[in-house]
Amino acid sequence: MGEVARAVSERGELVLRRRDDDGALELRVNGVFVMDDVETSSEELLASAALSSVRRPGRVLVGGLGLGYTVRALLADPRLESVVVAEIEPELVSWMRSGLVPSVLDDPRVAVVVGDVRDVVVAQDDASLDAILLDVDNGPDFLVYDENSAIYAASFLAVCKARLRPGGVLTVWSSSASSDLEKAVASVFGACDVTPVPVDLQGRAETYYVYQGSA
């Protein structure tokens, strides 16, 4: 397996590498597999679930740049006017800008903010977003960064709801089923739609999940 890039931040180590068996580009954080560029269906579903649920996806906020597949799926919709991407790891942004990762940042509709998604959401005006998409960790039960547990709490989800326009949606990605996340979304939004996403993860059958609430 060939290493493409490595960076160390105050939160730990990021490694971008190319697998020998299938040539896939893979991202690991603190030794934990986060994503690759082969199985991207759940990242794309995160976007399509939001796009299909709002009347006009004018302004969208995405928590987590990753390898760019959620943002790329959003940009494919001509109705999208602008997307704010919150990414806490500056090296991920640098790798994409340098071409190590295929870039979605050249589109004039994209603005990247390097920082914690909670701070970026708080900084938005109330009722200013049509959708908020959160894909910042492996979900509440398999955290890469322990401090990200607050992202899945009802208190932060309520802040997200306040930033959404009437009819706006919140969609949250998780690598596993989480009854606590489902309850938290339902407690804030009144209901929670849960979509399981079967995936083939390097030859293993797995299921990811998308949770959604509507303002």
Side-chain angles (χ1 to χ4, degrees), residues 69-117:
Y69 283 92
T70 296
V71 175
R72 187 172 287 107
L74 288 171
L75 293 173
D77 191 323
R79 298 176 300 162
L80 184 77
E81 296 172 6
S82 65
V83 55
V84 178
V85 183
E87 174 52 58
I88 201 168
E89 294 290 359
E91 289 301 332
L92 272 179
V93 178
S94 296
W95 292 345
M96 187 168 284
R97 290 199 185 282
S98 68
L100 290 177
V101 178
S103 182
V104 295
L105 304 181
D106 297 332
D107 192 297
R109 292 173 291 174
V110 179
V112 178
V113 180
V114 175
D116 191 305
V117 66

Side-chain angles (χ1 to χ4, degrees), residues 3-214:
E3 185 173 302
V4 176
R6 179 186 298 266
V8 178
S9 72
E10 61 184 22
R11 287 163 296 279
E13 183 182 62
L14 287 81
V15 176
L16 189 66
R17 57 188 184 179
R18 183 76 65 181
R19 292 201 297 261
D20 294 332
D21 54 351
D22 60 1
L25 194 62
E26 178 182 289
L27 177 65
R28 287 182 175 263
V29 178
N30 292 332
V32 178
F33 173 84
V34 175
M35 62 177 8
D36 62 27
D37 61 358
V38 173
E39 179 47 73
T40 61
S41 58
S42 61
E43 289 92 342
E44 292 161 353
L45 178 63
L46 190 69
S48 62
L51 290 169
S52 64
S53 300
V54 294
R55 181 179 60 82
R56 183 182 63 84
R59 187 166 185 264
V60 176
L61 187 147
V62 175
L65 175 61
L67 298 180
Y69 283 92
T70 296
V71 175
R72 187 172 287 107
L74 288 171
L75 293 173
D77 191 323
R79 298 176 300 162
L80 184 77
E81 296 172 6
S82 65
V83 55
V84 178
V85 183
E87 174 52 58
I88 201 168
E89 294 290 359
E91 289 301 332
L92 272 179
V93 178
S94 296
W95 292 345
M96 187 168 284
R97 290 199 185 282
S98 68
L100 290 177
V101 178
S103 182
V104 295
L105 304 181
D106 297 332
D107 192 297
R109 292 173 291 174
V110 179
V112 178
V113 180
V114 175
D116 191 305
V117 66
R118 289 170 292 178
D119 296 331
V120 179
V121 169
V122 167
Q124 307 303 306
D125 293 335
D126 281 350
S128 64
L129 297 166
D130 297 292
I132 297 175
L133 288 64
L134 300 179
D135 182 7
V136 296
D137 211 306
N138 279 335
D141 300 322
F142 294 96
L143 294 168
V144 175
Y145 303 129
D146 289 341
E147 58 268 28
N148 280 343
S149 61
I151 291 170
Y152 306 100
S155 55
F156 177 66
L157 301 183
V159 175
C160 291
K161 183 180 180 182
R163 301 306 185 266
L164 291 171
R165 295 180 177 126
V169 296
L170 170 76
T171 57
V172 186
W173 184 93
S174 177
S175 65
S176 62
S178 175
S179 59
D180 287 343
L181 177 56
E182 182 177 357
K183 290 174 184 175
V185 173
S187 71
V188 172
F189 290 88
C192 178
D193 294 326
V194 184
T195 304
V197 188
V199 297
D200 183 335
L201 190 61
Q202 300 177 48
R204 301 192 316 274
E206 301 283 353
T207 304
Y208 293 155
Y209 294 83
V210 173
Y211 295 80
Q212 183 166 281
S214 298

